Amino acid sequence: MLTNKQSVKNFLLKLQDQICHQLENADGGAVFEQDLWERTTGERLGGGGRSRIMKEGLVFEQAGVNFSHVTGDEMPASATAHRPELKGRKFEAMGVSLVVHPRNPYVPTSHMNVRFFIAEKEGEEPIWWFGGGFDLTPFYPFDEDCQEWHAVAKSICEPFGEDVYTQHKLWCDEYFYLPHRQESRGIGGIFFDDLNQWDFETCFAYIRAVGEGYSKAYLPVVDKRKHLCYGERERQFQLYRRGRYVEFNLVLDRGTLFGLQSGGRTESILMSMPPLARWEYNYQPEPGSAEAQLHQYLLPREW
């Protein structure tokens, strides 16, 4: 089955450049700092990446947009646990992953990831797949924003099949769920993994549409909400809800686990953490408040 790893890598590098430029324009103040890194943790591991972080912007308190391309002689346990056929194969994993933590509590946090895996063994056909998606985590949701976010997601999926949005929205709702809190991380979006049911070029085209569509979905929301006035109450609620983001990423996220188990760069893997967050024992929002209304948005629904 024909694959083109170099074309995927070229696209991912270009996508990182494009999104960083768009976020800098949206912020209007801060710029991304870049770290180039290589894996040097052992002879059986290789590759590297470039991590870009924006700090203390006018709009974005912190944003990280990372590219990585790592190789290894053996897949980590987080990958082979549900794919035993990968044992004994060399692998390459490449992708762009980003998380944006805005300063204004009325601007949602957002996440996007697109990635490609290939596992190869001499004399056998390679095993490859794509994965990715994007999701939105508002603290003070607006129906209009939620609807437009999902409308863009649906428009991305439609050229690839009438059921793709429904399937990948459901996957997102199920994946970004905190069972110990009995709530979703946010209002969802689309998410998928093990994507190889189409030919390589079609799967690659879908990944490109998702990666490039993220900014079309997110930046209009940022533009509408970044100038809204807020006070200490909203700020403290934002920090409290950021704690949920940390809980998901450290307890449940497979990407975090894969990165750590495969010897990835810890600083890059954990760049998804917010710069500030807080926890409060048995916090209960005031009944009828805007903070209490968030809960109804954290249950999967059709937008």
Side-chain angles (χ1 to χ4, degrees), residues 147-168:
Q147 291 162 1
E148 291 180 0
W149 172 263
H150 277 277
V152 174
K154 186 175 182 180
S155 71
I156 290 169
C157 296
E158 283 178 338
F160 299 89
E162 60 181 15
D163 296 329
V164 173
Y165 169 73
T166 300
Q167 294 169 358
H168 291 179

Side-chain angles (χ1 to χ4, degrees), residues 51-280:
S51 298
R52 293 179 178 172
I53 302 293
M54 175 193 291
K55 298 180 180 179
E56 297 299 329
L58 299 176
V59 176
F60 305 119
E61 190 171 4
Q62 182 169 295
V65 185
N66 290 342
F67 165 81
S68 64
H69 178 196
V70 297
T71 64
D73 289 343
E74 186 176 3
M75 295 287 286
S78 62
T80 58
H82 71 292
R83 298 286 297 263
E85 70 273 19
L86 298 176
K87 290 184 178 179
R89 288 176 173 259
K90 297 181 179 181
F91 77 93
E92 293 185 50
M94 63 183 78
V96 167
S97 180
L98 68 85
V99 175
V100 179
H101 293 290
R103 183 178 300 280
N104 190 318
Y106 288 105
V107 181
T109 288
S110 68
H111 158 261
M112 190 277 289
N113 173 270
V114 285
R115 57 193 180 274
F116 175 66
F117 290 84
I118 185 167
E120 298 174 287
K121 188 175 183 179
E122 188 174 352
E124 298 187 16
E125 284 288 319
I127 299 173
W128 60 268
W129 68 91
F130 290 91
F134 51 66
D135 67 289
L136 195 70
T137 305
F139 309 108
Y140 292 94
F142 295 84
D143 283 357
E144 174 187 354
D145 298 344
C146 300
Q147 291 162 1
E148 291 180 0
W149 172 263
H150 277 277
V152 174
K154 186 175 182 180
S155 71
I156 290 169
C157 296
E158 283 178 338
F160 299 89
E162 60 181 15
D163 296 329
V164 173
Y165 169 73
T166 300
Q167 294 169 358
H168 291 179
K169 177 190 179 299
L170 176 61
W171 202 333
C172 188
D173 290 339
E174 293 177 345
Y175 182 76
F176 292 105
Y177 184 77
L178 287 76
H180 61 284
R181 297 289 190 180
Q182 296 185 332
E183 65 182 29
S184 298
R185 187 169 80 171
I187 63 147
I190 51 176
F191 178 81
F192 54 95
D193 206 356
D194 304 324
L195 180 72
N196 62 5
Q197 71 265 34
W198 307 317
D199 61 83
F200 176 84
E201 287 301 328
T202 302
C203 293
F204 185 24
Y206 184 55
I207 281 291
R208 295 197 300 270
V210 172
E212 294 171 348
Y214 159 78
S215 298
K216 298 174 184 177
Y218 185 53
L219 293 181
V221 177
V222 174
D223 189 57
K224 281 189 292 186
R225 308 304 171 192
K226 65 184 180 181
H227 296 302
L228 294 180
C229 294
Y230 66 92
E232 186 63 17
R233 171 174 174 165
E234 290 86 356
R235 174 62 168 171
Q236 289 302 312
F237 185 65
Q238 176 194 47
L239 297 182
Y240 173 74
R241 291 302 310 182
R242 281 180 177 177
R244 295 286 205 273
Y245 212 87
V246 174
E247 289 177 22
F248 179 87
N249 283 19
L250 295 184
V251 176
L252 298 169
D253 187 62
R254 291 204 309 264
T256 301
L257 186 60
F258 175 85
L260 296 174
Q261 288 185 349
S262 61
R265 182 174 184 261
T266 302
E267 288 299 314
S268 299
I269 296 165
L270 297 181
M271 67 87 195
S272 61
M273 299 299 107
L276 294 171
R278 74 180 186 90
W279 284 260
E280 180 178 334

